Amino acid sequence: MTSADFLAQEKIWFDKPRYDEAERRYYEHMNGAPQPTQDAGANSILQDIARARENIQKSLAGQQQQSSTSTAADQGELVSRIKSLELENQSLHKVVEDLRAALSKLECRVSVLEKSPAAVTSAPAPSVPYTNGTAVQQKSSAPVKKVEEEEEDDDDFDLFGSDEDEEAEKLKEQRLKEYAEKKAKKPALIAKSSILLDVKPWDDETDMAKLEECVRSVQADGLLWGTSKLVPVGYGIKKLQIACVVEDDKVGTDMLEEEITKFEDYVQSVDVAAFNKI
Protein backbone atom coordinates (compact mmCIF):
# COMPACT_ATOMS: atom_id res chain seq x y z
CA MET A 1 0.00 0.00 0.00
CA THR A 2 1.34 3.35 -0.98
CA SER A 3 1.24 6.50 1.06
CA ALA A 4 -1.34 8.09 -1.19
CA ASP A 5 -3.69 5.16 -0.66
CA PHE A 6 -3.13 5.37 3.04
CA LEU A 7 -3.95 9.08 3.15
CA ALA A 8 -7.02 8.52 1.03
CA GLN A 9 -8.36 6.09 3.59
CA GLU A 10 -7.66 8.49 6.51
CA LYS A 11 -10.57 10.71 7.59
CA ILE A 12 -8.65 14.05 8.02
CA TRP A 13 -10.11 17.47 7.08
CA PHE A 14 -7.18 19.37 5.62
CA ASP A 15 -9.23 22.30 4.31
CA LYS A 16 -10.98 23.18 7.57
CA PRO A 17 -9.29 26.65 7.92
CA ARG A 18 -10.52 27.61 4.46
CA TYR A 19 -14.05 26.62 5.28
CA ASP A 20 -13.91 28.48 8.63
CA GLU A 21 -12.77 31.67 6.87
CA ALA A 22 -15.56 31.38 4.33
CA GLU A 23 -18.10 30.84 7.06
CA ARG A 24 -16.86 33.92 8.98
CA ARG A 25 -17.11 36.12 5.91
CA TYR A 26 -20.61 34.86 5.24
CA TYR A 27 -21.85 35.72 8.69
CA GLU A 28 -20.17 39.13 8.57
CA HIS A 29 -21.85 39.87 5.32
CA MET A 30 -25.17 38.81 6.75
CA ASN A 31 -24.78 40.94 9.89
CA GLY A 32 -23.71 44.02 7.89
CA ALA A 33 -20.27 44.37 9.51
CA PRO A 34 -18.38 47.58 8.63
CA GLN A 35 -14.77 47.75 7.45
CA PRO A 36 -12.44 44.92 8.15
CA THR A 37 -10.48 44.78 11.40
CA GLN A 38 -7.27 45.54 9.61
CA ASP A 39 -8.60 48.95 8.49
CA ALA A 40 -9.76 49.71 12.06
CA GLY A 41 -6.34 48.86 13.47
CA ALA A 42 -4.61 51.06 10.90
CA ASN A 43 -6.93 53.94 11.73
CA SER A 44 -6.14 53.64 15.47
CA ILE A 45 -2.42 53.63 14.75
CA LEU A 46 -2.77 56.77 12.60
CA GLN A 47 -4.70 58.46 15.39
CA ASP A 48 -1.97 57.60 17.92
CA ILE A 49 0.66 58.99 15.57
CA ALA A 50 -1.27 62.22 15.18
CA ARG A 51 -1.70 62.57 18.91
CA ALA A 52 2.04 61.96 19.44
CA ARG A 53 2.87 64.67 16.89
CA GLU A 54 0.57 67.10 18.67
CA ASN A 55 2.18 66.33 22.01
CA ILE A 56 5.66 66.82 20.55
CA GLN A 57 4.67 70.17 19.05
CA LYS A 58 3.15 71.28 22.36
CA SER A 59 6.27 70.26 24.30
CA LEU A 60 8.53 72.08 21.83
CA ALA A 61 6.38 75.20 22.12
CA GLY A 62 6.53 75.01 25.94
CA GLN A 63 10.30 74.65 25.87
CA GLN A 64 10.58 77.68 23.61
CA GLN A 65 8.41 79.69 25.99
CA GLN A 66 10.48 78.55 28.99
CA SER A 67 13.74 79.39 27.21
CA SER A 68 12.42 82.81 26.29
CA THR A 69 11.32 83.50 29.88
CA SER A 70 14.64 82.20 31.29
CA THR A 71 16.66 84.38 28.90
CA ALA A 72 14.57 87.38 29.88
CA ALA A 73 15.19 86.65 33.59
CA ASP A 74 18.94 86.22 32.99
CA GLN A 75 19.08 89.50 31.13
CA GLY A 76 17.27 91.25 34.01
CA GLU A 77 19.70 89.78 36.54
CA LEU A 78 22.70 90.88 34.46
CA VAL A 79 21.30 94.38 34.19
CA SER A 80 20.80 94.58 37.97
CA ARG A 81 24.33 93.32 38.61
CA ILE A 82 25.80 95.82 36.21
CA LYS A 83 23.92 98.64 37.96
CA SER A 84 25.17 97.50 41.39
CA LEU A 85 28.74 97.33 40.09
CA GLU A 86 28.47 100.84 38.70
CA LEU A 87 27.27 102.09 42.08
CA GLU A 88 30.15 100.35 43.87
CA ASN A 89 32.60 101.81 41.37
CA GLN A 90 31.29 105.30 42.02
CA SER A 91 31.59 104.85 45.79
CA LEU A 92 35.15 103.55 45.42
CA HIS A 93 36.05 106.58 43.33
CA LYS A 94 34.76 108.80 46.12
CA VAL A 95 36.79 106.93 48.74
CA VAL A 96 39.94 107.21 46.65
CA GLU A 97 39.41 110.94 46.20
CA ASP A 98 38.95 111.39 49.97
CA LEU A 99 42.15 109.44 50.64
CA ARG A 100 44.08 111.54 48.18
CA ALA A 101 42.84 114.73 49.83
CA ALA A 102 43.81 113.45 53.29
CA LEU A 103 47.25 112.39 52.00
CA SER A 104 47.85 115.82 50.52
CA LYS A 105 46.92 117.44 53.85
CA LEU A 106 49.31 115.14 55.70
CA GLU A 107 52.11 115.99 53.29
CA CYS A 108 51.51 119.68 53.87
CA ARG A 109 51.63 119.21 57.66
CA VAL A 110 54.82 117.17 57.47
CA SER A 111 56.50 119.80 55.34
CA VAL A 112 55.49 122.50 57.86
CA LEU A 113 56.82 120.42 60.77
CA GLU A 114 60.10 119.80 58.97
CA LYS A 115 60.56 123.55 58.44
CA SER A 116 59.62 124.54 62.02
CA PRO A 117 62.77 123.11 63.82
CA ALA A 118 65.01 125.31 61.68
CA ALA A 119 63.08 128.38 62.75
CA VAL A 120 63.31 127.35 66.39
CA THR A 121 67.08 126.75 66.24
CA SER A 122 67.62 130.07 64.50
CA ALA A 123 66.05 131.94 67.42
CA PRO A 124 68.59 133.04 70.12
CA ALA A 125 68.47 130.65 73.05
CA PRO A 126 69.22 131.78 76.60
CA SER A 127 72.25 130.54 78.47
CA VAL A 128 71.96 126.85 79.32
CA PRO A 129 73.81 125.09 82.16
CA TYR A 130 75.00 121.50 81.66
CA THR A 131 74.13 118.66 83.99
CA ASN A 132 75.81 115.27 83.43
CA GLY A 133 76.57 116.13 79.81
CA THR A 134 72.97 117.18 78.94
CA ALA A 135 71.86 120.74 78.44
CA VAL A 136 68.91 122.13 80.39
CA GLN A 137 67.23 125.30 79.13
CA GLN A 138 66.75 128.11 81.65
CA LYS A 139 63.50 130.00 81.85
CA SER A 140 64.95 133.01 83.62
CA SER A 141 68.17 134.19 85.23
CA ALA A 142 66.62 134.57 88.68
CA PRO A 143 66.70 130.84 89.59
CA VAL A 144 70.38 130.68 88.61
CA LYS A 145 71.22 133.47 90.99
CA LYS A 146 69.36 131.73 93.80
CA VAL A 147 71.28 128.51 93.21
CA GLU A 148 74.60 130.37 93.23
CA GLU A 149 73.71 132.07 96.51
CA GLU A 150 72.79 128.70 98.09
CA GLU A 151 76.13 127.21 96.95
CA GLU A 152 78.00 130.15 98.47
CA ASP A 153 76.15 129.63 101.73
CA ASP A 154 77.11 125.96 101.74
CA ASP A 155 80.75 126.86 101.18
CA ASP A 156 80.61 129.24 104.12
CA PHE A 157 79.28 126.58 106.49
CA ASP A 158 81.57 123.71 105.24
CA LEU A 159 84.26 124.44 107.84
CA PHE A 160 84.67 120.94 109.32
CA GLY A 161 84.25 118.89 106.14
CA SER A 162 87.91 117.90 106.05
CA ASP A 163 87.75 116.46 109.59
CA GLU A 164 84.74 114.33 108.66
CA ASP A 165 86.58 112.95 105.62
CA GLU A 166 89.57 112.01 107.78
CA GLU A 167 87.36 110.21 110.27
CA ALA A 168 85.62 108.29 107.46
CA GLU A 169 88.98 107.21 106.05
CA LYS A 170 90.20 106.06 109.47
CA LEU A 171 87.00 104.08 110.01
CA LYS A 172 87.37 102.47 106.58
CA GLU A 173 90.99 101.49 107.26
CA GLN A 174 90.02 100.02 110.63
CA ARG A 175 87.27 97.90 109.09
CA LEU A 176 89.56 96.63 106.34
CA LYS A 177 92.16 95.67 108.93
CA GLU A 178 89.58 93.79 111.00
CA TYR A 179 88.35 91.94 107.90
CA ALA A 180 91.91 90.91 106.97
CA GLU A 181 92.58 89.61 110.50
CA LYS A 182 89.32 87.66 110.52
CA LYS A 183 90.12 86.12 107.16
CA ALA A 184 93.62 85.18 108.30
CA LYS A 185 92.25 83.40 111.38
CA LYS A 186 89.77 81.41 109.28
CA PRO A 187 91.27 78.00 108.34
CA ALA A 188 91.96 77.66 104.65
CA LEU A 189 90.55 74.76 102.69
CA ILE A 190 93.10 72.03 101.94
CA ALA A 191 92.81 70.37 98.55
CA LYS A 192 93.00 66.58 98.90
CA SER A 193 92.85 63.68 96.48
CA SER A 194 92.15 59.96 96.71
CA ILE A 195 94.62 57.79 94.76
CA LEU A 196 94.41 54.08 93.98
CA LEU A 197 97.78 52.52 93.09
CA ASP A 198 98.55 49.21 91.35
CA VAL A 199 101.90 47.82 92.50
CA LYS A 200 103.08 44.86 90.38
CA PRO A 201 105.69 42.32 91.60
CA TRP A 202 108.34 40.58 89.50
CA ASP A 203 106.87 37.07 89.60
CA ASP A 204 104.65 34.71 91.56
CA GLU A 205 107.43 33.96 94.08
CA THR A 206 107.58 37.57 95.36
CA ASP A 207 106.57 37.96 99.01
CA MET A 208 103.46 40.16 98.74
CA ALA A 209 103.33 40.78 102.51
CA LYS A 210 106.86 42.15 102.42
CA LEU A 211 106.00 44.19 99.34
CA GLU A 212 103.02 45.79 101.11
CA GLU A 213 105.20 46.50 104.14
CA CYS A 214 107.72 48.28 101.93
CA VAL A 215 104.96 50.36 100.29
CA ARG A 216 103.49 51.42 103.62
CA SER A 217 106.94 52.35 104.86
CA VAL A 218 106.85 55.35 102.54
CA GLN A 219 105.83 58.25 104.81
CA ALA A 220 105.44 61.93 104.09
CA ASP A 221 103.61 65.00 105.39
CA GLY A 222 100.12 64.95 103.87
CA LEU A 223 100.15 61.21 103.05
CA LEU A 224 97.75 58.71 104.60
CA TRP A 225 97.63 55.07 103.51
CA GLY A 226 94.32 53.23 103.32
CA THR A 227 93.03 49.75 102.57
CA SER A 228 94.72 47.27 100.25
CA LYS A 229 93.98 43.97 98.53
CA LEU A 230 95.64 41.46 96.22
CA VAL A 231 94.22 41.24 92.70
CA PRO A 232 95.13 38.25 90.48
CA VAL A 233 96.77 39.18 87.18
CA GLY A 234 97.50 35.79 85.56
CA TYR A 235 99.81 32.76 85.73
CA GLY A 236 99.60 32.81 89.55
CA ILE A 237 100.85 36.40 89.78
CA LYS A 238 98.97 38.88 91.96
CA LYS A 239 99.32 42.65 92.18
CA LEU A 240 98.90 44.86 95.23
CA GLN A 241 96.09 47.41 94.94
CA ILE A 242 96.40 50.01 97.72
CA ALA A 243 94.57 53.29 98.37
CA CYS A 244 95.86 56.49 99.90
CA VAL A 245 94.77 60.08 100.58
CA VAL A 246 97.19 62.91 99.84
CA GLU A 247 97.26 66.68 100.12
CA ASP A 248 97.72 68.08 96.63
CA ASP A 249 100.14 70.81 97.71
CA LYS A 250 102.44 68.40 99.56
CA VAL A 251 102.33 64.97 97.88
CA GLY A 252 102.04 64.03 94.21
CA THR A 253 101.80 60.83 92.17
CA ASP A 254 105.30 61.25 90.79
CA MET A 255 106.78 61.29 94.28
CA LEU A 256 104.86 58.15 95.28
CA GLU A 257 106.00 56.26 92.18
CA GLU A 258 109.63 57.25 92.75
CA GLU A 259 109.60 56.23 96.41
CA ILE A 260 107.85 52.89 95.83
CA THR A 261 109.99 51.85 92.85
CA LYS A 262 113.09 52.21 95.03
CA PHE A 263 112.26 48.76 96.41
CA GLU A 264 113.63 47.05 93.31
CA ASP A 265 113.75 43.60 94.87
CA TYR A 266 109.96 43.44 95.19
CA VAL A 267 108.43 46.10 92.92
CA GLN A 268 108.45 45.85 89.13
CA SER A 269 106.21 48.88 88.33
CA VAL A 270 103.65 51.27 89.85
CA ASP A 271 100.51 52.50 88.02
CA VAL A 272 97.78 54.94 89.03
CA ALA A 273 94.51 53.01 88.76
CA ALA A 274 92.22 55.87 89.93
CA PHE A 275 92.59 59.53 90.90
CA ASN A 276 89.71 61.49 92.47
CA LYS A 277 89.51 64.93 94.05
CA ILE A 278 88.02 65.09 97.53
Side-chain angles (χ1 to χ4, degrees):
M1 181 183 296
T2 61
S3 58
D5 296 336
F6 180 75
L7 290 173
Q9 292 179 2
E10 288 293 329
K11 296 179 180 179
I12 299 172
W13 193 1
F14 292 100
D15 296 333
K16 187 176 185 303
R18 293 173 63 188
Y19 290 104
D20 292 337
E21 182 68 20
E23 187 177 2
R24 184 182 61 78
R25 289 180 181 178
Y26 173 74
Y27 284 113
E28 286 179 357
H29 181 70
M30 291 296 291
N31 293 326
Q35 298 176 356
T37 56
Q38 292 181 356
D39 295 338
N43 291 330
S44 63
I45 291 170
L46 292 173
Q47 289 176 2
D48 293 336
I49 291 169
R51 288 174 185 175
R53 287 180 179 176
E54 289 178 0
N55 293 330
I56 291 168
Q57 290 177 358
K58 288 180 181 179
S59 63
L60 290 173
Q63 287 179 359
Q64 289 177 357
Q65 290 178 358
Q66 289 178 359
S67 63
S68 62
T69 53
S70 62
T71 52
D74 294 337
Q75 289 178 358
E77 187 177 358
L78 287 172
V79 170
S80 62
R81 286 184 179 180
I82 289 167
K83 288 181 180 179
S84 62
L85 289 172
E86 288 178 352
L87 293 173
E88 289 179 359
N89 193 9
Q90 290 177 0
S91 63
L92 288 173
H93 279 300
K94 290 181 181 178
V95 171
V96 171
E97 289 177 358
D98 295 337
L99 290 173
R100 286 179 179 175
L103 184 60
S104 63
K105 289 180 182 179
L106 287 173
E107 288 178 353
C108 294
R109 289 182 182 179
V110 170
S111 62
V112 171
L113 290 172
E114 287 177 352
K115 292 178 181 178
S116 59
V120 172
T121 52
S122 62
S127 60
V128 179
Y130 290 89
T131 304
N132 294 330
T134 58
V136 180
Q137 187 175 359
Q138 289 183 350
K139 294 182 179 178
S140 62
S141 60
V144 177
K145 291 181 179 179
K146 289 182 180 180
V147 172
E148 291 177 354
E149 290 176 359
E150 290 177 358
E151 290 178 354
E152 290 177 357
D153 294 337
D154 293 338
D155 292 336
D156 293 337
F157 287 104
D158 192 12
L159 297 175
F160 301 99
S162 59
D163 295 337
E164 292 177 358
D165 293 339
E166 290 177 357
E167 290 178 0
E169 289 179 358
K170 288 180 180 179
L171 182 61
K172 185 177 180 181
E173 290 177 356
Q174 185 178 357
R175 288 181 178 177
L176 290 172
K177 187 176 180 181
E178 291 176 357
Y179 176 74
E181 290 177 355
K182 187 177 180 181
K183 190 174 181 181
K185 291 179 181 179
K186 187 176 180 180
L189 294 174
I190 299 172
K192 294 182 179 181
S193 300
S194 174
I195 303 173
L196 184 65
L197 298 174
D198 285 342
V199 183
K200 296 178 182 179
W202 288 104
D203 52 22
D204 57 346
E205 295 179 358
T206 304
D207 189 356
M208 298 303 295
K210 186 64 177 177
L211 185 145
E212 183 177 356
E213 184 180 351
C214 294
V215 172
R216 291 183 182 274
S217 65
V218 177
Q219 299 294 328
D221 187 14
L223 173 62
L224 179 63
W225 292 106
T227 59
S228 63
K229 64 180 180 178
L230 298 175
V231 179
V233 178
Y235 302 101
I237 301 173
K238 296 181 180 180
K239 66 180 179 179
L240 175 67
Q241 196 171 70
I242 186 168
C244 63
V245 177
V246 299
E247 294 181 8
D248 296 341
D249 296 336
K250 296 178 180 179
V251 181
T253 56
D254 295 337
M255 187 271 286
L256 291 173
E257 291 177 3
E258 289 178 1
E259 293 294 328
I260 294 171
T261 52
K262 287 180 180 179
F263 302 99
E264 297 177 354
D265 296 337
Y266 302 97
V267 178
Q268 178 187 7
S269 63
V270 179
D271 297 325
V272 177
F275 187 93
N276 299 312
K277 292 285 185 181
I278 298 175

